[in-house]
Amino acid sequence: MESNNEDKLKYLPLVLGILGVFLGLVEGLNCPVLFGWENIITEMVISVVGGLAAVILYWKTDETLVSGIQFMVTGILMFALIQNMATYGLILFVLTGLITIFLGGNFSVSDKRLIGIPAGTFILLIIILLIVGFASSMYEDNLSNEISISNLNAQCEDSFGYYNSNVTYDLNVNTSMDYIQADVIYYDQDGKIIRTDTPWSQYNINPGVYKIKSTYFDTFKPVKAEISLKNDYDSNESFYTQNVTFTQTQASI
């Protein structure tokens, strides 16, 4: 009976590892786009490649220490990419790694070459991020050609020491997009940023014309503004920018 129980326990890391792979895919598919699609895709690839590598190591070799480490490395990398959205995947893979190591009872590595597999997972992560980053750069270059701004107007009224300003424009979108954030950055005469406003942001954008208006009211006089468009909430990089100089007027008494 004890032998049968041990045989059943042998399959536990195998089952948990496969569940971890599926969980990693589900977490990636359910991750909000604001985490960046490159991070989401990379997390899903790591969960499949890293998780299956650990499963194969466990099933085909006696190197339970290496396979346990591989399970844990996979979970940690997933969490590093999409943070709390991969919490359950992290817990499951780390738990599977610990179970694998302690069930095997082997705390040494016979074939030193297999240590390269967890290290290779880190290298794979770097390669994927480089490739996806290059693809993302090309995508953003192409994306800027699908966006244009028309009917741009920037007015600044001096109202007895207070400056009442607004920037209005039509945002013309020629392609479907997951997300756009429109920022307006206000500058004084010395080129110093005096205000950043986010008048508009939206998910699941269809082609069309979107009317944007940003307002400003303060004692610091804006001289020019920069319109900045982002397609990633969690990024400081803009895929489209345009500058405009304010038309100055004086309020009537």
Side-chain angles (χ1 to χ4, degrees):
M1 181 67 70
E2 186 176 343
S3 177
N4 289 334
N5 289 335
E6 289 179 357
D7 289 339
K8 290 179 181 178
L9 283 175
K10 177 183 176 183
Y11 291 98
L12 183 58
L14 186 65
V15 173
L16 292 177
I18 293 173
L19 285 175
V21 171
F22 282 105
L23 182 57
L25 290 173
V26 170
E27 288 178 326
L29 290 171
N30 286 302
C31 186
V33 71
L34 61 87
F35 281 88
W37 67 269
E38 61 271 21
N39 283 6
I40 295 171
I41 292 174
T42 306
E43 185 272 344
M44 294 171 68
V45 172
I46 289 296
S47 71
V48 173
V49 176
L52 290 181
V55 167
I56 293 170
L57 268 173
Y58 174 75
W59 192 246
K60 295 293 185 180
T61 73
D62 294 325
E63 302 288 357
T64 53
L65 179 62
V66 178
S67 57
I69 291 173
Q70 176 65 21
F71 278 126
M72 290 188 283
V73 165
T74 300
I76 292 169
L77 292 180
M78 287 165 52
F79 185 81
L81 287 163
I82 58 173
Q83 301 168 33
N84 61 303
M85 295 304 299
T87 299
Y88 294 117
L90 169 68
I91 293 171
L92 183 55
F93 271 124
V94 169
L95 182 63
T96 304
L98 293 173
I99 291 173
T100 300
I101 293 171
F102 286 103
L103 275 182
N106 182 10
F107 300 98
S108 62
V109 180
S110 301
D111 189 347
K112 304 297 183 183
R113 294 173 299 177
L114 295 178
I115 298 175
I117 294 178
T121 305
F122 279 103
I123 295 172
L124 176 64
L125 172 66
I126 294 170
I127 292 172
I128 293 173
L129 287 176
L130 288 174
I131 294 173
V132 173
F134 177 72
S136 176
S137 177
M138 292 183 62
Y139 170 74
E140 290 188 358
D141 288 342
N142 294 331
L143 198 59
S144 63
N145 296 325
E146 300 294 333
I147 297 286
S148 64
I149 287 176
S150 60
N151 299 323
L152 176 58
N153 185 36
Q155 299 285 337
C156 177
E157 181 183 69
D158 183 353
S159 182
F160 309 104
Y162 284 87
Y163 296 94
N164 185 18
S165 309
N166 61 73
V167 176
T168 59
Y169 61 92
D170 292 341
L171 177 62
N172 307 291
V173 182
N174 299 325
T175 186
S176 297
M177 295 183 61
D178 293 328
Y179 176 78
I180 294 181
Q181 175 178 311
D183 294 331
V184 177
I185 305 168
Y186 293 84
Y187 294 88
D188 65 11
Q189 61 183 1
D190 298 320
K192 180 183 176 182
I193 296 174
I194 53 177
R195 178 74 57 82
T196 298
D197 182 36
T198 303
W200 186 82
S201 63
Q202 186 170 315
Y203 289 97
N204 302 320
I205 300 159
N206 295 317
V209 179
Y210 299 86
K211 295 189 176 296
I212 315 294
K213 181 177 182 179
S214 172
T215 59
Y216 171 94
F217 186 78
D218 209 328
T219 55
F220 300 100
K221 180 180 179 181
V223 173
K224 66 176 183 177
E226 178 185 80
I227 298 169
S228 170
L229 303 180
K230 304 174 185 176
N231 66 330
D232 187 345
Y233 174 84
D234 204 32
S235 172
N236 293 321
E237 297 296 326
S238 303
F239 71 88
Y240 185 99
T241 59
Q242 184 168 332
N243 294 317
V244 62
T245 301
F246 282 97
T247 300
Q248 304 289 339
T249 60
Q250 181 69 46
S252 57
I253 300 176

